[in-house]
Amino acid sequence: QVQLEESGGGSVQPGGSLRLSCVTSGSRFAFDTMGWYHQAPGKERELVASIISSGSTDYAESVKGRFTISRGNARNTIHLEMNGLKTEDTGVYYCKASGYYAKYPYEFWGQGTQVTVSS
């Protein structure tokens, strides 16, 4: 059974930094795409950043220049370096893996990690 586990969330003041990590277990193959999603209180989950197997990355406009997504040394591990945090970055951050395996689509989610930005 594939499991994604996020870590690194916490409480910081505006302008602070956090580094989120997503570690995978139970997968027998490398994921095509991994990404981070943000769900603010009372709002829908939105894509923050993604990285594909080639290493190409994509970011939401609201985090460009502040957040950096990267792959870890272990397979199917990603990180999200979050700098210049703003109060609107508060919420739960979820890790997602998706793609196709043997022509069948797959999608896996972690349980999320809470980030609170407040003075």
Side-chain angles (χ1 to χ4, degrees), residues 4-5 10 18 26 29 36 42-43 49 55 60 63 93 97 100 111-112 116-117:
L4 277 63
E5 183 174 359
L18 285 172
F29 56 92
W36 289 98
K43 296 188 177 181
V63 306
Y93 284 76
Y100 287 84
Q111 293 299 306
T116 302
V117 185

Side-chain angles (χ1 to χ4, degrees), residues 24-60:
T24 302
S25 60
S27 175
R28 294 181 294 175
F29 56 92
F31 297 140
D32 297 325
T33 302
M34 295 191 74
W36 289 98
Y37 286 72
H38 170 228
Q39 186 164 22
K43 296 188 177 181
E44 295 187 354
R45 200 173 297 186
E46 297 180 335
L47 176 66
V48 172
S50 63
I51 185 166
I52 63 175
S53 55
S54 68
S56 180
T57 58
D58 192 25
Y59 295 92

Side-chain angles (χ1 to χ4, degrees), residues 2 26-33 53 75-76 97-108:
V2 175
S27 175
R28 294 181 294 175
F29 56 92
F31 297 140
D32 297 325
T33 302
S53 55
R75 190 177 69 179
N76 295 334
S98 61
Y100 287 84
Y101 183 74
K103 299 184 180 181
Y104 291 96
Y106 62 84
E107 183 177 290
F108 304 112

Side-chain angles (χ1 to χ4, degrees), residues 77-100:
T77 296
I78 59 171
H79 305 289
L80 185 68
E81 194 74 36
M82 310 165 70
N83 298 313
L85 282 161
K86 304 177 180 180
T87 55
E88 52 262 43
D89 295 321
T90 292
V92 181
Y93 284 76
Y94 296 90
C95 177
K96 175 187 172 183
S98 61
Y100 287 84

